[in-house]
Amino acid sequence: MLWGDKRYHSLNYELKRIFGTKVVKLSVDGGFTCPNRDGTAGDKGCIFCGEEGSGEFTFSKNLSIPEQIAKQKEFMSKKWATGKYIAYFQNFTNTYGDTEYLKEKYYAGISQKGMVGLAIATRPDSISPSALDLLEEINKKTYLWIELGLQTIHDTTANFIRRGYDLCCYEKTVEELKKRNIRIVTHLIFGLPGESKQDILESVKYVSERDTWGIKIHLLYIQRGTDLHKFYMEHPFHILTQEEYVNMVCDSIEIIPKDMIIHRLTGDGKKALLIEPKWSLDKLKVLSDIDKELSIRNSYQGKFFK
Ligand code: SF4
């Protein structure tokens, strides 16, 4: 089984299939906050969350959305000049706020030239009924997906990482989004303290059986200055080796259904802040080792999905 040159159904492959060319995601900052940091769901945030709200590089949130997109396009055009883009609201909780405010931000994103879709990262406890209506409306106008940061299905770990909502909340939100035909991507983190390989694969199996659109696999990063960093200094725990991680990712790929889109198999840790695992900085090697391992196994996505 091959999806382009990969043995798994990558987002890159899927977007090329739909839009006929490479589609570039542009991260934009809508100035959102997070209920898990402002006291609504919690006041300390998830234990691994850094100051930027667990997102990647964005241009200043002091710029308007069109200005941020223009700058991102200029920046990304050095690498890709395909002219098709997806606006990605990633940092913090991007459905947390007044619906009129959300509407203004989302429409500002999708109305820019070359924009073919919209991606919104959020928490399942932070999508109000009126936000659901807005998402339903936008889903009819553009290629929309919603990303939910589940990280694990295990309560003990969820409590430890201070996720701030339970599995039932995730399931209810998934049902609401599915009712509206909205694509759902679930985030999982591999390597959380106290989780065995079996625990991790149970989370993957659970997500695989939800009949949702996509999955994003992250490796746990310990970032300088986070509460997780402090915990690690006081109570060192096992950090996955690259070999363990690659093997676990390949075991996961084999049990994820063929039509589920894999958005990510490793992350982009910020070098200046990364405490562990240092090997993750060589992202290309991790991805290439995953390809090699699948090839050695003569395996592919969905091989063992029942
Ligand atoms: S939900 Fe996201 S932004 Fe909020 S504390 Fe957790 S990781 Fe950080």
Side-chain angles (χ1 to χ4, degrees), residues 149-197:
L150 180 64
Q151 329 306 7
T152 177
I153 60 162
H154 301 288
D155 287 345
T156 313
T157 323
N159 291 336
F160 172 77
I161 64 173
R162 307 190 302 239
R163 190 180 63 191
Y165 67 84
D166 60 19
L167 197 56
C168 181
C169 169
Y170 167 82
E171 288 176 354
K172 279 186 189 151
T173 300
V174 163
E175 285 317 307
E176 290 301 327
L177 292 168
K178 275 167 81 172
K179 260 192 241 165
R180 294 163 173 84
N181 292 319
I182 296 172
R183 296 174 193 81
I184 301 161
V185 180
T186 304
H187 291 222
L188 290 178
I189 298 180
F190 287 10
L192 290 167
E195 290 214 334
S196 65
K197 178 176 175 176

Side-chain angles (χ1 to χ4, degrees), residues 34 36-37 45-46 48-49 53-54 92-93 123:
C34 175
N36 204 20
R37 298 168 68 121
C46 301
F48 48 77
C49 184
S54 215
F92 296 105
T93 302
R123 298 165 51 85

